[in-house]
Amino acid sequence: MNENEALLDALIEGRLPDDAGRFGPFGGRYVPETLMAAVTRLDEGVRTLLRSAELQARLEAELRDWVGRPTPITPAPALGARWGAEVWLKREDLAHTGAHKINNAIGQALLAQALGARRIVAETGAGQHGVASAAACARVGLPCTVYMGEVDVARQAPNVDRMRRLGAEVVPVTSGDRTLRAAIDEAIRDWVSDPAGTYYLIGSAIGPHPYPYLVRELQAVIGREARAQMIERAALPEAVFACVGGGSNAIGLFHAFLGDRDVRLVGVEAGGRGSGLGDHSATLSAGRPGVLHGNYSMLLYDDDGLIHETHSVSAGLDYPGVGPEHALLKLVGRVDYVTASDDEALAALDECCEAEGILPALESAHALAGARRWAQAHPGARLLVGLSGRGDKDMPILAQYPVRKERSDAAA
């Protein structure tokens, strides 16, 4: 057995992350001294409170009665006919608040309450994590402050209004690139100012240990449900597709399938408008190892070591880093990471609307674009595609683009 196979076996058997929070060479804990006590307390809480029968019973009840789990898998025969494949969709868009983010938000809100936190801070890009955090905090009775880049405030306006109506304070971030990276920077600054009373509710599988593990554990319900549902309704898929920004939806969907070595796992990153640095958010496809927001993973930075601005039509994928577990899965070759461009994602979104009557989030549209390409190379295959969220939030962006028929007419 070579080193990569040993690392994959350790991950599947639950021996990673290790005691230092490492997924092989990736992960760890890179935080200022002022946050070490808070991170250590959270680590202890994850190992004790999160696994307690009491908190697990509360979480299970909230997922069932408030979130609406299990979410269904939906056959997509019209997409299948177009692609020459058998296509199934895992419908996280049908979860309460409209995206997978709610699984993690309610889990961390319950944990924060059990740890005695007085308030919650969170950050958001596409707004779905902000909405989920605001809703979860309202549910458990904790005040919530959400940091959001000024660019994202403008392009995700419906979600900003939802957060405020759910009782959260939304703080536009005008520094840096004014997107998700800058929002995370500001949320961490807020956390540093009161690490004892403030809980930082991270929305993706990133950050210092134990966050990547904690988020994976709370999102793994997606894959457990999907795997059982596929076996019940059809059979294991030959390939599973999910979009990858920070990577919470993808790691949640993939994790239950890691031991099914015959199931191909494909993460689809934002290829944006081109391959140049600054034109995409394809961290795993084009990045290099480095440290950002508390962990060692794959990043996009220039030759001077400066984290580079990114681009994607999808605000939720517009981030220069990725969760360390994804970095390990790429290293050991268990997951293939590919890209889909802005145009491919927009076309996939239109096709899903026309063929299936489902408006997916722009993030999810990247997964559909990757699945469509793979299906054409593997005729007759059975595919499972993760729909991480619904596209209502993206209407201000979509309004800038004509629908596919209008684009075709314009090009003719």
Side-chain angles (χ1 to χ4, degrees), residues 266-314:
V266 183
V268 186
E269 298 187 293
R273 59 196 170 210
S275 59
L277 194 61
D279 289 329
H280 60 82
S281 306
T283 309
L284 288 159
S285 301
R288 292 177 284 175
V291 172
L292 178 66
H293 294 144
N295 73 93
Y296 180 74
S297 187
M298 298 294 287
L299 313 174
L300 293 170
Y301 55 89
D302 62 23
D303 290 339
D304 295 323
L306 299 175
I307 298 297
H308 212 281
E309 293 187 7
T310 55
H311 164 79
S312 172
V313 70
S314 166

Side-chain angles (χ1 to χ4, degrees), residues 25-46:
F26 301 105
R29 184 181 291 164
Y30 299 83
V31 296
E33 190 63 30
T34 51
L35 288 180
M36 281 305 294
V39 173
T40 301
R41 186 169 67 250
L42 175 60
D43 190 17
E44 293 170 355
V46 169

Side-chain angles (χ1 to χ4, degrees), residues 15 109 253:
R15 291 184 280 115
L253 180 58

